[in-house]
Amino acid sequence: MLKMGCSHYQFVRLRPAIMEDLEEMLNIERSSFGDESYQKELIEQLLSDKEFHNAIVEVEDVKVGYATFFEDARKKRARLITIAVMPEYRNRGLAKALLAFLQKEMGRLRLGIVSLEVGTSNVPATNLYLSLGFRIKGTIPNYYGKGKDALYMERSIDRA
Ligand SMILES: CC(C)(COP(=O)(O)OP(=O)(O)OC[C@H]1O[C@@H](n2cnc3c(N)ncnc32)[C@H](O)[C@@H]1OP(=O)(O)O)[C@@H](O)C(=O)NCCC(=O)NCCS
């Protein structure tokens, strides 16, 4: 668990997510992705399968964001599956903090590369990843459905 001071908030806490966080993770999903949100069963799977690693961020005891990566232990790679922060808590560094927390976990697991896909029209998320050192490796046509392309991005993982 990481407790940190934040210029915007009195108390921010980062920790691995657990099954008891399921409902709030679903709320964060819906507030961020609307109709394209993960279903409850999928979030349950993210929380129960050991290949998935989840982090949640709380601000003054309110769960406001979460992020998940998939561990490919054989290839020593991580794949960022999702990240979302509730709209009213954005632009305060919480997504960066979530990714820093997960990156430490990736380092502990001795993974070498983390990859992700992001919609070509998703400027906030693309800027977030670029600001953290991800590089654009290519474009995947129609990744999110017809006419909705994705950027494929990667970065190396700092060792813990
Ligand atoms: C993408 C998302 C997680 C960012 O969360 P956040 O907590 O607001 O992000 P942070 O405050 O940590 O911002 C970190 C960096 O992201 C970029 N960024 C964040 N919001 C931005 C915006 N509205 N416009 C442009 N860049 C933005 C900036 O580079 C920022 O760094 P800076 O503040 O030093 O300029 C959030 O917007 C979100 O939940 N979006 C909906 C879900 C989503 O699209 N997830 C990504 C799927 S691939």
Side-chain angles (χ1 to χ4, degrees):
M1 183 197 304
L2 175 72
K3 295 178 182 177
M4 63 177 210
C6 178
S7 55
H8 297 279
Y9 301 115
Q10 280 217 295
F11 189 63
V12 175
R13 185 165 75 140
L14 286 149
R15 60 169 173 79
I18 54 173
M19 198 52 87
E20 283 68 24
D21 299 318
L22 176 63
E23 288 301 330
E24 289 89 349
M25 286 166 71
L26 200 52
N27 279 340
I28 296 164
E29 259 302 297
R30 288 181 179 147
S31 73
S32 296
F33 295 106
D35 291 345
E36 291 172 3
S37 299
Y38 286 167
Q39 300 297 305
K40 190 172 186 174
E41 295 69 29
L42 182 56
I43 300 182
E44 256 169 352
Q45 191 189 347
L46 298 182
L47 286 163
S48 54
D49 285 10
K50 65 173 179 31
E51 293 86 0
F52 294 107
H53 300 261
N54 307 277
I56 195 155
V57 60
E58 295 174 54
V59 171
E60 275 122 38
D61 289 332
V62 181
K63 296 166 191 173
V64 301
Y66 88 99
T68 302
F69 75 86
F70 171 78
E71 174 195 359
D72 186 334
R74 196 175 54 83
K75 292 188 184 161
K76 293 275 167 213
R77 292 176 67 102
R79 181 167 169 226
L80 189 71
I81 300 292
T82 190
I83 180 163
V85 172
M86 289 177 82
E88 58 272 40
Y89 290 88
R90 288 182 190 161
N91 297 306
R92 289 164 172 82
L94 296 177
K96 264 188 183 168
L98 275 168
L99 289 176
F101 185 84
L102 287 184
Q103 151 102 13
K104 277 197 188 135
E105 178 67 7
M106 293 170 198
R108 270 194 293 273
L109 293 166
R110 306 220 150 257
L111 306 178
I113 301 272
V114 52
S115 66
L116 60 85
E117 294 83 21
V118 58
T120 48
S121 59
N122 193 341
V123 174
T126 305
N127 282 354
L128 165 70
Y129 304 135
L130 288 172
S131 77
L132 292 173
F134 282 85
R135 298 235 173 103
I136 299 169
K137 293 286 188 175
T139 305
I140 312 173
N142 305 316
Y143 183 80
Y144 293 108
K146 198 159 184 262
K148 294 182 182 171
D149 301 347
L151 299 174
Y152 175 79
M153 301 177 85
E154 276 187 0
R155 64 157 288 179
S156 57
I157 296 165
D158 305 327
R159 284 290 162 89

